[in-house]
Amino acid sequence: MKTFSTFITEEKNTHMTHIEDLVLDGGVNGARQAIVALQSLRDMLAGHAAAAARIGLTVKWDGAPAVFAGIDPQDGKFFVAKKGIFNKNPKVYKSHKDIEADTDGDLQAKLKIAFDNLKLLGIKGVVQGDIMFTKNDLKTEKIDGEDYVVFHPNTIAYAVPKDEAAEILNAEIGVVFHTSYDGKTFEGMRASYGVDVEAFKKTSKVWAVSAGVSDVGGRANLTAAETKEVTKALSDAGKLFQSIGRGVFELVASDSELNTIINTYNNTFIRRAERVGSGSRHIRGLVQYIHDKYQKDIDKLKTDKSKDAKAAKRDQVLKTIDTHKKDLANMIELQKCLVVAKEIIINKLNQLNTTKTFVKTKHGFRVTGAEGFVAIDRIGGGAVKLVNRLEFSTNNFNPDIIKGWNSSTRG
């Protein structure tokens, strides 16, 4: 079986590309491996043992804030940290005083609780996770007539039946762990996906959960019809991939101006929870978007020289798009095929969730899927993010949906 280990091999798990964006950001290899990754997931969910053995899965929990914890390899002291851990001058906190000097408000309170309690786990090395709750975040809510313990760290609210929530209610903090790090310095550390929470020391003060999913077989199998639909989408993607000039893939990935503009334009559709139309129509819309964007920038400039320079940059981008408009349209069509396959797979993977997920609206709770999933090549070490971006965007930008940070306990 082909590997998909080469399209994301991050040293630090602080950002991960959406699988369909690899068409724009990853060159020929990224586009090819996006297709291979979805083929691998299809095979796993169709019950192929070789694919199931090779692919690991983690659930993307919608926690906040991210937290790093473990032992500083330089001095052997326990610390907690934010993402600044990987700065040239790492920001790590080894006392309440360190936390107070660099943070305030709810973040400061949560990092203090994390510092006091995560040290009880006896963590070896460095691990990364997301804080899902501290004790005062927990609420009892009645949903569809049943009492649940709810924690709502970000956009998604997580609900556990109250009679099954004793561990959560007893804990001072809940963290979902997803990434381990190894290295002699913070700056030189490399990430590996997955954390063995069973190796932690047991303490009732920490609800420590692994984001990893085990035993997929039998719990989330594609039907024959679903497998056929995914296969068709990936076959269409393969034909489009073969039709696109290899130099165009590399051009879009390497030309930062062009790449940023296309991705930004695509994201305007995601923010509106609107699906992209035909590739050719999308590129025509992109051209108009570029005209409008650059004109706004030009209007803000004071000198003719700076205005002319900005206009020249606009004209160069437009010339590039006009030269390659057919290939660019096919790249958009390729992305759309990947999204079709991805969303079928995500809908199936949502069956793996054991904790119920909701969004909280002004009218009560509404069921939603998980934030997404990460598929991991156990042999090659690569990973890819699968998110239903339209659903998650709707949840993020809909003013009727109440976010966790609006809670009275998060001020």
Side-chain angles (χ1 to χ4, degrees), residues 290-306:
I290 290 169
H291 277 290
D292 294 344
K293 178 186 183 303
Y294 275 89
Q295 192 59 52
K296 287 180 182 178
D297 293 342
I298 289 169
D299 290 343
K300 295 175 184 176
L301 298 173
K302 302 297 184 183
T303 68
D304 289 342
K305 183 178 179 180
S306 59

Side-chain angles (χ1 to χ4, degrees), residues 139-143 146-150 360 365:
K139 303 290 183 184
T140 299
E141 301 272 8
K142 193 173 289 292
I143 304 174
E146 184 175 354
D147 288 331
Y148 287 89
V149 172
V150 175
K360 188 174 184 179
F365 288 90

Side-chain angles (χ1 to χ4, degrees), residues 265-280:
Y265 180 60
N266 288 356
N267 284 335
T268 65
F269 285 77
I270 293 168
R271 288 177 68 93
R272 299 195 301 263
E274 180 181 332
R275 293 197 182 274
V276 170
S278 72
S280 58

Side-chain angles (χ1 to χ4, degrees), residues 37-53:
L38 289 168
Q39 288 171 337
S40 300
L41 287 164
R42 174 203 60 194
D43 293 346
M44 179 187 72
L45 295 177
H48 294 193

Side-chain angles (χ1 to χ4, degrees), residues 18 20-21 267 270 342 387-394:
H18 291 277
E20 64 272 22
D21 285 350
N267 284 335
I270 293 168
K342 178 190 76 169
V387 175
N388 186 326
R389 295 166 84 176
L390 294 190
E391 178 183 50
F392 201 64
S393 178
T394 297

